[in-house]
Amino acid sequence: QVQVTESGGGSVQAGGSLTLSCVASGSAHSTSTYCMGWYSQAPGKGRERVAAINSHGSTMYGDSVKGRFTISKDKANGTLYLQMNSLKPEDTGMYYCVAGPYCDDLRRGYWGQGTQVAVTS
């Protein structure tokens, strides 16, 4: 079993920045090889993938966040980060960290409880 815990959400004005963090605890061998990523869910909408990073460090981004968000992973302790810059009101929502064996099937991985991000205009 893998437990996923996010932190770092909050409220910020448009144009500001936030950094989210995520830790996946469980078998060190399995989590070190996992794909990890972030999903967002705006009020009244479904969850969509924001960014992901595989075990080799290759990154993938949703079109709406390219050039503004950066996903990274600390190899020493496995902590996942999402640096969010130039935030827009439409970035508001719950942000979930997900860890799983495959980036192509990340939605079926282990989900955290989410952390709220609110961007005010």
Side-chain angles (χ1 to χ4, degrees), residues 16-67:
S17 299
L18 280 175
T19 301
L20 307 182
S21 301
C22 170
V23 175
S25 61
S27 166
H29 172 71
S30 60
T31 55
S32 67
T33 63
Y34 273 15
C35 176
M36 295 184 72
W38 295 93
Y39 281 74
S40 67
Q41 185 170 22
K45 296 187 177 180
R47 297 180 183 182
E48 63 177 35
R49 195 167 80 175
V50 173
I53 184 168
N54 67 18
S55 60
H56 302 291
S58 296
T59 57
M60 295 143 269
Y61 294 94
D63 288 341
S64 64
V65 306
K66 284 180 181 177

